[in-house]
């Protein structure tokens, strides 16, 4: 008969292998991600995978302080993801404003020049 400690040890080893593969795939997405949101999502996945590593190590070693570390990493990872998302959102609105300015930029000086000429003529007459 297999002892419970052997089952936990085998399950932890298998979980660490699966988490290692997930970590490598998410790391590849960070490096080769086609867009910035893809990279941010991959970083969030890396954070979740690291939390999984720490949790499996806590179960394997029986050291419960690792659980507190995993919770702290989860909070920091969540805040980092929210900060990156806000950055992407603000970057999008800045890009939209910039594109609006470049489209409207030639039209505004012409209108302003016409108004100043019209005001100048009224003032002289």
């Amino acid at each position: 008969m297999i002892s419970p400690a052997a089952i936990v040890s085998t399950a932890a080893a298998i979980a660490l292998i699966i988490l290692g593969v997930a970590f490598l795939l998410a790391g590849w997405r960070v490096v080769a991600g086609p867009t910035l949101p893809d990279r941010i999502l991959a970083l969030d996945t890396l954070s979740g995978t690291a939390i999984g590593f720490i949790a499996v190590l806590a179960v394997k070693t029986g050291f419960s302080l690792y659980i507190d570390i995993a919770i702290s990493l989860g909070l920091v990872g969540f805040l980092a993801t929210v900060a990156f998302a806000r950055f992407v959102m603000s970057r999008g609105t800045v890009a939209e404003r910039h594109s609006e300015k470049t489209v409207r930029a030639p039209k505004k000086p012409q209108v302003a020049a016409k108004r100043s000429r019209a005001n100048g003529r009224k003032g002289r007459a």
Side-chain angles (χ1 to χ4, degrees), residues 5-20:
I7 293 173
V8 170
S9 178
T10 304
I14 292 170
L16 287 174
I17 291 170
I18 293 171
L19 287 168

Side-chain angles (χ1 to χ4, degrees), residues 7-80:
I7 293 173
V8 170
S9 178
T10 304
I14 292 170
L16 287 174
I17 291 170
I18 293 171
L19 287 168
V21 171
F23 195 84
L24 290 174
L25 291 174
W28 174 253
R29 180 52 62 191
V30 169
V31 172
T35 62
L36 184 61
D38 288 332
R39 289 186 171 112
I40 292 170
L41 186 62
L43 284 172
D44 190 41
T45 303
L46 284 175
S47 173
T49 306
I51 292 167
F53 270 118
I54 294 170
V56 170
L57 287 176
V59 169
K60 190 173 182 176
T61 61
F63 194 55
S64 62
L65 183 64
Y66 287 146
I67 299 297
D68 296 334
I69 295 169
I71 291 170
S72 301
L73 181 60
L75 292 172
V76 170
F78 172 73
L79 291 175

Side-chain angles (χ1 to χ4, degrees), residues 46-123:
L46 284 175
S47 173
T49 306
I51 292 167
F53 270 118
I54 294 170
V56 170
L57 287 176
V59 169
K60 190 173 182 176
T61 61
F63 194 55
S64 62
L65 183 64
Y66 287 146
I67 299 297
D68 296 334
I69 295 169
I71 291 170
S72 301
L73 181 60
L75 292 172
V76 170
F78 172 73
L79 291 175
T81 302
V82 169
F84 280 135
R86 287 185 57 97
F87 170 73
V88 169
M89 292 295 291
S90 68
R91 184 176 173 194
T93 56
V94 169
E96 290 170 2
R97 289 181 198 156
H98 180 67
S99 65
E100 288 176 2
K101 287 180 181 178
T102 56
V103 170
R104 294 182 186 172
K107 294 179 183 178
K108 286 185 178 179
Q110 293 172 356
V111 172
K114 288 179 184 178
R115 287 183 184 164
S116 64
R117 283 187 220 149
N119 289 339
R121 288 183 190 161
K122 287 181 184 176

